[in-house]
């Protein structure tokens, strides 16, 4: 047993050495590990069996080199490297790295599985010193983000206080996915008290806590599409559906994802689902796109189009 443990520790040490430098000679590795070159060759064979592509070169400049393989094998990080990686991922999840939020949070959740407890307070302290000057997303507590990510991963119920018209209420949920927009983080979860799917802004949550109660995952809507539609239309007092005489790619370049959902309708046309406080605001935004369009819903928006046409016509013929 002691021999096996010593072999495992030595192989991990060898892996760490190979990750530190491009090329090592056999004698150099043997000296660093305190073993013979023959043992080094055996340990290299063990690494290859585990999926690490270790290449061996002969002659001048030859030696052992860790190459890139078809699959990504586990990385071996020391304490400083683990802390730096976690803080960088927190920055990416917070929006400091454009387009990296979802991937950063997924990677951070995986790292969280193996991050030693002794390093957590250092990661938290360093994360508090990371800022972004480009606007980015609304700031959220990294601990809250990680609590929700773990709950989604482990399928455990989560509770939090969330504001409503008559004050904050405690919400009991089965979390499904975290969704990052260009401005905010959202949680798609099944609301146990309302017996339906809901999306929640993470920056509005307080008292976030995960329970130990596990749940069986439900059939869920597409998380990104559900949250986007809610952000772009359902949260507004008035919603509208517009048939725009332009391609979906053209309109998506003009309308932020947080302002409208664009669906391809063929023949160079697309449907825009959006909302605003008033129908006049909706109409103003659509007109400024600069394309011909048709009102699909609601009928009152057609009436507003006629009224605008009357006023604009009168203004052009004083």
């Amino acid at each position: 047993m002691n021999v096996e443990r010593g072999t495992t520790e030595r192989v991990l040490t060898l892996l760490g050495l190979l990750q530190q430098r491009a090329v090592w000679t056999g004698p150099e590795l043997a000296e660093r590990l305190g073993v013979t070159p023959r043992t080094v060759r055996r340990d290299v064979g063990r690494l290859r069996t585990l999926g690490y592509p270790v290449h061996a070169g002969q002659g001048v400049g030859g030696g052992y080199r860790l190459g890139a393989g078809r699959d990504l094998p586990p990385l071996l990080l020391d304490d400083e490297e683990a802390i730096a990686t976690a803080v960088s991922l927190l920055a990416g999840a917070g929006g400091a790295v454009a387009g990296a939020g979802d991937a950063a949070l997924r990677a951070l959740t995986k790292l969280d599985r193996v991050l030693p407890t002794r390093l957590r307070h250092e990661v938290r302290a360093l994360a508090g010193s990371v800022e972004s000057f480009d606007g980015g997303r609304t700031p959220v507590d990294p601990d809250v983000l990680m609590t929700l990510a773990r709950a989604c991963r482990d399928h455990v119920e989560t509770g939090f206080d969330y504001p409503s018209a008559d004050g904050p209420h405690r919400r009991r949920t089965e979390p499904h996915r975290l969704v990052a927009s260009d401005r905010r983080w959202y949680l798609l979860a099944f609301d146990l008290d309302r017996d339906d799917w809901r999306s929640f802004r993470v920056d509005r949550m307080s008292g976030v806590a995960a329970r130990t109660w596990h749940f069986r995952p439900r059939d869920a809507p597409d998380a990104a599409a559900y949250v986007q539609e809610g952000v772009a239309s359902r949260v507004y007092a008035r919603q509208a559906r517009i048939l725009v005489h332009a391609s979906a790619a053209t309109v998506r370049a003009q309308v932020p994802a947080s302002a409208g959902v664009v669906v391809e309708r063929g023949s160079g046309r697309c449907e825009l689902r959006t909302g605003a406080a008033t129908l006049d605001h909706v109409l103003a935004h659509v007109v400024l796109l600069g394309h011909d369009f048709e009102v699909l819903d609601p009928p009152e928006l057609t009436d507003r189009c006629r009224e605008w046409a009357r006023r604009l016509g009168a203004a052009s013929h004083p």
Side-chain angles (χ1 to χ4, degrees):
M1 182 66 68
N2 291 335
V3 173
E4 179 60 31
R5 183 166 59 247
T7 300
T8 301
E9 293 172 355
R10 190 179 65 248
V11 170
L12 289 176
T13 302
L14 172 61
L15 176 60
L17 291 172
L18 291 172
Q19 290 178 344
Q20 289 177 14
R21 208 168 81 183
V23 180
W24 291 83
T25 66
E28 286 177 328
L29 290 173
E31 181 180 356
R32 293 293 294 269
L33 296 172
V35 296
T36 65
R38 182 178 180 182
T39 300
V40 170
R41 289 194 296 272
R42 289 176 177 174
D43 289 346
V44 166
R46 293 186 176 98
L47 287 176
R48 288 169 176 162
T49 301
L50 293 172
Y52 292 90
V54 182
H55 304 301
Q58 302 295 326
V60 179
Y64 293 105
R65 176 174 56 86
L66 187 62
R70 291 176 300 175
D71 301 319
L72 182 64
L75 294 175
L76 187 66
L77 303 177
D78 60 27
D79 285 6
E80 292 183 358
E81 291 168 338
I83 292 172
T85 300
V87 172
S88 298
L89 289 171
L90 281 168
V97 181
D102 288 329
L105 186 59
R106 289 197 305 271
L108 186 60
T109 306
K110 293 178 181 178
L111 182 60
D112 175 68
R113 285 181 181 271
V114 296
L115 194 66
T117 303
R118 68 178 186 276
L119 301 183
R120 293 182 187 277
H121 73 282
E122 296 187 50
V123 170
R124 188 177 298 110
L126 287 173
S129 67
V130 176
E131 298 288 347
S132 174
F133 61 82
D134 62 355
R137 297 192 184 103
T138 301
V140 295
D141 187 334
D143 286 340
V144 169
L145 206 59
M146 283 304 305
T147 297
L148 296 173
R150 292 189 200 104
C152 291
R153 179 193 69 197
D154 300 335
H155 307 305
V156 294
E157 291 184 10
T158 305
F160 49 85
D161 295 324
Y162 201 74
S164 61
D166 57 346
H169 286 272
R170 192 69 181 173
R171 311 296 282 267
R172 297 184 309 116
T173 69
E174 295 177 354
H176 175 61
R177 289 287 188 276
L178 281 164
V179 179
S181 76
D182 55 345
R183 297 171 58 193
R184 298 183 178 94
W185 279 100
Y186 295 86
L187 173 71
L188 174 63
F190 190 85
D191 192 315
L192 294 170
D193 295 320
R194 289 157 179 78
D195 196 31
D196 200 2
W197 290 97
R198 292 287 191 273
S199 60
F200 303 93
R201 277 177 50 177
V202 175
D203 61 292
R204 288 182 173 177
M205 297 177 180
S206 60
V208 178
R211 302 178 60 190
T212 57
W213 182 265
H214 289 262
F215 61 86
R216 184 186 299 276
R218 304 170 185 262
D219 290 334
D222 180 274
Y226 185 95
V227 172
Q228 185 194 3
E229 187 169 352
V231 170
S233 61
R234 287 197 301 264
V235 298
Y236 294 105
R238 303 307 303 267
Q239 293 88 42
R241 295 170 50 241
I242 310 293
L243 185 66
V244 183
H245 292 210
S247 69
T250 298
V251 177
R252 287 194 186 104
Q254 296 177 291
V255 179
S258 57
V261 177
V262 180
V263 181
E264 184 70 61
R265 288 297 181 227
S267 303
R269 301 186 301 177
C270 64
E271 180 181 327
L272 173 62
R273 302 170 187 169
T274 187
T278 68
L279 290 178
D280 281 342
H281 283 111
V282 172
L283 186 55
H285 294 155
V286 174
V287 168
L288 289 174
L289 294 177
H291 310 297
D292 291 339
F293 64 90
E294 303 169 36
V295 174
L296 299 177
D297 194 59
E300 307 95 279
L301 186 55
T302 302
D303 297 335
R304 298 310 303 157
C305 288
R306 295 192 183 100
E307 176 62 18
W308 276 42
R310 185 192 66 78
R311 290 182 182 178
L312 292 171
S316 62
H317 295 90

